[in-house]
């Protein structure tokens, strides 16, 4: 099945509300009305409102970078799914490797968030991926399997069309070291196989699996033309409209 490609920008802890507004306006202007590729931008919480205004009425969708699984309560510093929905957020990145390694997020916590996202009609962009030590030890597929299976406990086949997985090898994030197309495709095909086991065959073919980790205009075409690579989750190259939009164009050019 040929899935519509998705290019998502993860701004991480960059851009104030004002800077984000300017960048989002540039992205919207350059992306125009093309409908071949789904485009999502994920600013920090503090820029969601201004970026939301910039993308309103355009094809660009709004994503958050994290959320708390509960709807409300005594969770100082946290933001819930209904709060995101009220700002017209449609997607949420969950289980990013920086959340896992720097903030101690466990597979169980990621699973709660994934379930809460679905309950609130948010599309999760679930991140999985191995560290350099894990790759060198030959445990890449095992790590990816555990993260994927645990995060998707309780997720049903009917949610597949709204589920997005991002394979992000930790050693490639922000390092300029990109996985080769073969390395990435191998893991993407493996994830597709896991999804067949978890969700069944037709549903597994509906899940978009993005590649993330130093994707940029110079390496995007090769990665995006792999059979099981359905788009990209972009960090550094999403911080400038020109490179981000080039990635959208690269995705549109893949047949
Ligand atoms: P990068 O980040 O494109 O800067 O490597 C990707 C990510 O962390 O999502």
């Amino acid at each position: 099945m040929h899935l519509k490609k998705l290019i998502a920008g993860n701004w991480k802890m960059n851009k104030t509300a004002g800077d984000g507004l300017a960048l989002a306006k540039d992205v919207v202007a350059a992306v125009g009305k093309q409908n071949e590729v789904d485009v999502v931008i994920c600013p920090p919480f503090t820029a969601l409102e201004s970026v939301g205004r910039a993308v309103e009425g355009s094809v660009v969708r709004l994503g958050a970078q994290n959320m708390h699984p509960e709807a409300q309560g005594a969770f100082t510093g946290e933001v819930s799914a209904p709060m995101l929905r009220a700002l017209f957020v449609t997607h949420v990145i969950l289980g990013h490797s920086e959340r896992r390694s720097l903030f101690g997020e466990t597979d169980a916590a990621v699973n709660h968030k994934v379930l809460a996202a679905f309950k609130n009609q948010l599309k999760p962009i679930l991140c999985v991926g191995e560290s350099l030590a894990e790759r060198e030890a030959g445990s890449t597929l095992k790590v990816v399997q555990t993260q994927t299976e645990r995060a998707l406990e309780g997720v049903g086949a009917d949610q597949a069309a709204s589920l997005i997985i991002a394979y992000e090898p930790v050693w490639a994030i922000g390092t300029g070291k990109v996985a080769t197309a073969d390395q990435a495709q191998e893991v993407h095909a493996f994830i597709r196989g896991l999804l067949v086991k978890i969700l069944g065959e037709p549903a597994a073919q509906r899940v978009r699996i993005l590649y993330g980790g130093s994707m940029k205009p110079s390496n995007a075409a090769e990665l995006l033309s792999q059979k099981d690579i359905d788009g990209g989750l972009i960090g550094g190259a999403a911080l400038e409209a020109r490179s981000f939009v080039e990635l959208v164009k690269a995705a549109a050019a893949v047949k």
Side-chain angles (χ1 to χ4, degrees):
M1 189 158 141
H2 190 71
L3 295 169
K4 190 172 177 183
K5 294 233 180 322
L6 188 157
I7 297 291
N10 172 14
W11 292 2
K12 309 194 179 185
M13 197 175 74
N14 293 290
K15 308 289 175 188
T16 61
D19 294 343
L21 176 71
L23 173 56
K25 277 186 178 166
D26 288 346
V27 169
V28 166
V31 164
K33 296 205 186 314
Q34 71 79 32
N35 205 20
E36 291 158 287
V37 178
D38 284 334
V39 182
V40 181
I41 46 188
C42 307
F45 291 132
T46 47
L48 282 172
E49 187 169 16
S50 64
V51 170
R53 266 187 275 125
V55 303
E56 198 184 336
S58 81
V59 299
V60 179
R61 296 282 165 269
L62 188 60
Q65 300 172 15
N66 181 31
M67 63 170 215
H68 192 277
E70 296 299 329
Q72 78 247 321
F75 303 102
T76 301
E78 294 290 315
V79 170
S80 74
M83 293 170 182
L84 297 176
R85 290 268 304 170
L87 292 174
F88 307 103
V89 169
T90 52
H91 293 70
V92 60
I93 298 171
L94 296 175
H96 190 280
S97 66
E98 287 149 19
R99 303 271 349 143
R100 294 176 189 263
S101 67
L102 303 172
F103 303 101
E105 244 175 58
T106 61
D107 287 324
V110 175
N111 176 241
H112 288 148
K113 293 179 182 195
V114 168
L115 297 177
F118 281 126
K119 199 172 149 204
N120 289 279
Q121 286 84 46
L122 288 169
K123 295 181 169 68
I125 302 176
L126 165 68
C127 301
V128 298
E130 82 288 1
S131 67
L132 183 59
E134 288 162 341
R135 174 160 285 265
E136 285 174 347
S139 50
T140 296
L141 299 183
K142 195 169 172 299
V143 168
V144 166
Q145 175 165 8
T146 304
Q147 289 178 344
T148 306
E149 287 176 348
R150 295 218 176 128
L152 295 182
E153 269 170 39
V155 173
D158 53 332
Q159 287 156 327
S162 300
L163 173 64
I164 299 148
I165 294 183
Y167 168 57
E168 299 206 307
V170 177
W171 48 272
I173 295 177
T175 58
K177 274 190 223 153
V178 66
T180 64
D182 285 350
Q183 281 174 326
Q185 168 57 25
E186 181 199 5
V187 180
H188 280 238
F190 176 74
I191 294 172
R192 186 83 64 200
L194 289 175
L195 293 172
V196 170
K197 277 191 236 147
I198 299 168
L199 303 171
E201 176 68 41
Q205 301 302 337
R206 270 181 226 123
V207 178
R208 280 179 294 188
I209 309 175
L210 315 182
Y211 170 80
S214 299
M215 193 189 268
K216 46 184 179 271
S218 58
N219 59 32
E222 202 191 347
L223 287 161
L224 292 169
S225 57
Q226 300 302 307
K227 180 170 171 285
D228 291 290
I229 301 188
D230 308 307
L233 179 57
I234 320 299
L239 294 175
E240 279 186 24
R242 196 196 293 185
S243 46
F244 185 64
V245 171
E246 269 189 55
L247 292 170
V248 175
K249 288 184 183 152
V254 176
K255 289 292 168 251

